[in-house]
Amino acid sequence: MKGFDGIIGNDLIKDQLKSAINTNTIRHAYMLVGERGMGKKKLAEAFLLQLFCSRKDEKNEPCLKCPECKKILSGNHPDVIYISHEKAAVISVDEIREQLMDTVRIRPYSNEYKVYVIPEAEKMTVQAQNALLKTLEEPPAYVIILLLVNDEKKLLDTVRSRVIKENLRPLTDNSVKEYLTGRLGASGELVDICVAFAKGNLGRAIELYQSEAFSEWYQRIMKIMRNLREMTSTDIRVEFGRLQSECPDLFEALDLLELWYRDLMLFMVTRDLNGLVFKGERKALMNMASISSYNGVQEIMGAIDVCRERLKANVNPELCFELLFLKMKES
């Protein structure tokens, strides 16, 4: 299913964009804001389909079969320009000038509108943003600009003030789980881990479930948690070395540890096994709960935060995690 109907959640944004098209009240620039994986590109595609489809059905929905829809779906529509950039972390002023400003006065080839889509728009340099401002302030009537933004704080206030901002919201855990199990046929205890870890980000949950790397370092951390009491300092260093080689982002390892201790704290308070995220580790959680205190778990949660801050300050990761694991072992 394509178009707005194929997108889960964010109903208010979908309704607003659809209404703007159907009532011919489209604004010249929109900013879709949300972390990577939340569906900004899907929303932009749905907007384009709704805007350009030449054979909408009785419900005014895009047909997905006409030449216009097929061009959108293939990414080859002549009146839709996706701004690209050579350097992974930067969209330069020259790229904005060449791909947008130098072509913005050329009228649409075959439609009423011409749309510029800027993925990862926060990567524009200050010079690029200032150059874009000229178009945002006085755009041709046929031009629409879609900014897809992961972190809006990196955009100038002058840019943000000239666009309609739409904040994408996280989905409910149930919605994410239903998609994984219903659409992808996902099963097993890893599903609940991916759902909890993704925090409402469907794209992230799909990526985690399909990632062999995530499964590997998740199992590594579970091994550490099951055997932490018996591990020596040398054992801890060895296991961390393996974890570091398997996990591409140690901040994510900390997020997983934090999720584990939240499970432990929940069980210690409620004694309810049904609400656990780590349902496959019930035995380990029960054993840990029998020898842990509530204050001790809170201290570990604080130690995880300290470890996170040390990593941000570029403290040696091995030292950060060794101190954390020793604190976990003590508490």
Side-chain angles (χ1 to χ4, degrees), residues 229 264 267-268 271 283-293:
R229 284 190 70 197
L264 177 61
F267 176 70
M268 291 172 67
R271 295 293 164 177
K283 183 177 179 180
L285 282 164
M286 291 174 69
N287 289 338
M288 191 172 286
S290 68
I291 58 172
S292 301
S293 67

Side-chain angles (χ1 to χ4, degrees), residues 90-107:
V90 175
I91 302 175
S92 71
V93 62
D94 288 339
E95 287 164 333
I96 290 296
R97 284 173 178 161
E98 292 169 7
Q99 298 177 59
L100 193 154
M101 298 179 66
D102 290 352
T103 64
V104 76
R105 296 296 169 183
I106 300 174
R107 297 191 65 83

